[in-house]
Amino acid sequence: MLLVPNAPMANFINHGSQEDANVQIRWPSAGSKAARLFDWAYNRQKKDIYDDKFESTNHNAWLKDHPIDVMEKSGKLAFEYVALRDIEEDEEILIDYGDLWNDAWYEFQETHPNARSDFRHAIIVPDGFYPDNWLNVTDKYEIAEIKDLENNPLEPGVALPMTWAHNGKALSPKYGYIVGLERGFSDRFLAYSEETGVIELYRKLLTEQEGFRLKSDEFTTYKPGALTNTSKTSDVELDFFVYKYKADNYRTNLHLVGPWNEASRKSVNEALGDAGFDLAMKGIGERFGYDNITCFHGSYIGVTHSDLALMHSDIYATNDKSWNIIFPLIT
């Protein structure tokens, strides 16, 4: 935000001291052409994203928004350059870059030419230019937590939109929801995963034990039921795939583990159902008006570190009718 009022054309306006500056920056005055244009753009954006009936009559309404929301308005903020006095013909237009810029320039001039690097410093806006609600707040996107889940848990099957912590708005009109699961769901599915050897398989994969040290993007299969004494005879025959996903690209040890044969797919889906997953599917189906819904595939994600991870989308061309539902087992 520091440079918004000074780019791009303002870079051609040179610095003048407080005595020499003849122009100052300010937010547009009510009723000006710039104000009317940008007020219209602000209303249009709010209608498109949040509420098609939104209409603000507040002048420079974005000044009351959170800085994160303001930073998304690139090209949709208005400001004006106003003459501080009469400007003579052929007189150069000058603005005051601020005391911090002045101090940095003085220090640069005092540095020996052989020790200098290129001079660059932020151009400072006038005192009071930014409203108080923009100052001393985080510029990080954070998803709001649901408060007091221990005493007021989300009802099983209830699907609600995830919201941003800074403004309480939904992450998206269509994507990013939380859904209530039965109390004890994760514990029940964790017990199944331990019994079938999947958790022991992860212990060996993530600690890179002999025979379980995969290369980046390597794909293989295991019988995790053979790794533990808790497995039933039928569990020992379950095949699970392991894919070490882009370990070199993202500097991660993330492993995807999932059912590989028909017996393991049936086993995982039955365990999800026994743990109470059907209620979550029912809630999503009712929330979005689906005629029916099915669990296409269940898999595990295990990771202890990821230094260069990136967000990505792996569901597309489904007309908004496919979901990744993620729940924790061990954290």
Side-chain angles (χ1 to χ4, degrees):
M1 288 302 303
L2 195 63
L3 296 178
V4 164
N6 301 287
M9 296 305 294
N11 293 329
F12 295 111
I13 303 178
N14 285 321
H15 167 67
S17 66
Q18 292 183 1
E19 295 77 20
D20 295 333
N22 51 20
V23 166
Q24 188 179 49
I25 334 166
R26 73 178 184 192
W27 297 111
S29 55
S32 68
K33 290 182 179 179
R36 291 199 300 272
L37 173 62
F38 283 87
D39 286 346
W40 172 85
Y42 178 82
N43 286 332
R44 180 64 179 269
Q45 183 192 43
K46 291 286 187 179
K47 288 180 179 179
D48 289 345
I49 296 178
Y50 298 123
D51 181 3
D52 59 5
K53 296 182 175 61
F54 179 88
E55 191 69 42
S56 173
T57 57
N58 294 327
H59 174 56
N60 290 342
W62 60 77
L63 296 177
K64 295 182 180 179
D65 285 353
H66 191 282
I68 289 178
D69 297 323
V70 176
M71 286 188 287
E72 293 179 346
K73 296 179 175 62
S74 177
K76 298 174 183 176
L77 289 176
F79 47 84
E80 298 172 335
Y81 293 90
V82 182
L84 297 173
R85 55 173 174 78
D86 291 340
I87 299 176
E88 302 296 332
E89 185 176 351
D90 295 329
E91 180 182 356
E92 183 178 5
I93 293 175
L94 301 172
I95 60 174
D96 182 6
Y97 287 2
D99 292 339
L100 292 178
W101 189 95
N102 255 333
D103 294 343
W105 177 248
Y106 177 79
E107 183 179 343
F108 175 79
Q109 289 181 310
E110 293 297 307
T111 304
H112 190 280
N114 294 337
R116 293 176 181 173
S117 57
D118 292 340
F119 179 78
R120 295 184 65 84
H121 195 277
I123 300 173
I124 310 302
V125 298
D127 291 341
F129 188 82
Y130 298 127
D132 291 342
N133 57 295
W134 289 10
L135 306 177
N136 303 316
V137 294
T138 180
D139 62 349
K140 294 180 180 179
Y141 284 91
E142 295 178 347
I143 296 174
E145 295 184 8
I146 301 178
K147 296 181 180 179
D148 198 20
L149 277 176
E150 186 64 31
N151 297 312
N152 297 292
L154 191 63
E155 289 294 322
V158 172
L160 298 175
M162 300 171 72
T163 59
W164 293 119
H166 71 275
N167 63 7
K169 301 291 187 181
L171 271 63
S172 163
K174 295 189 293 184
Y175 314 114
Y177 279 72
I178 53 173
V179 61
L181 296 168
E182 286 187 334
R183 186 181 290 274
F185 168 85
S186 292
D187 292 337
R188 291 190 288 273
F189 193 72
L190 176 60
Y192 161 82
S193 304
E194 290 175 330
E195 179 182 296
T196 53
V198 173
I199 301 303
E200 182 60 27
L201 173 60
Y202 261 117
R203 290 192 181 99
K204 294 180 180 297
L205 290 168
L206 296 178
T207 56
E208 297 188 341
Q209 296 183 26
E210 188 67 31
F212 299 87
R213 191 177 299 119
L214 277 63
K215 298 177 182 178
S216 180
D217 293 305
E218 184 176 351
F219 184 98
T220 189
T221 60
Y222 291 96
K223 293 183 182 296
L227 304 176
T228 176
N229 296 326
T230 61
S231 297
K232 296 178 291 189
T233 302
S234 57
D235 292 338
V236 176
E237 297 305 313
L238 300 178
D239 289 325
F240 281 76
F241 74 81
V242 176
Y243 176 34
K244 191 171 185 180
Y245 183 73
K246 297 189 180 299
D248 290 344
N249 300 66
Y250 300 153
R251 294 213 297 263
T252 180
N253 66 347
L254 186 149
H255 292 71
L256 298 172
V257 172
W260 182 241
N261 59 6
E262 185 61 30
S264 60
R265 284 192 286 271
K266 182 178 179 181
S267 175
V268 168
N269 281 346
E270 286 180 348
L272 285 169
D274 292 342
F277 193 65
D278 290 350
L279 276 177
M281 296 175 61
K282 181 174 182 290
I284 291 174
E286 291 177 347
R287 172 86 191 199
F288 294 95
Y290 299 155
D291 294 329
N292 52 66
I293 188 170
T294 185
C295 182
F296 175 72
H297 193 272
S299 60
Y300 298 82
I301 301 173
V303 59
T304 61
H305 68 268
S306 187
D307 298 332
L308 295 174
L310 300 175
M311 294 182 66
H312 74 286
S313 173
D314 56 4
I315 294 178
Y316 54 92
T318 66
N319 195 26
D320 299 333
K321 293 181 180 178
S322 290
W323 296 84
N324 279 327
I325 303 176
I326 303 172
F327 55 87
L329 289 181
I330 300 175
T331 57

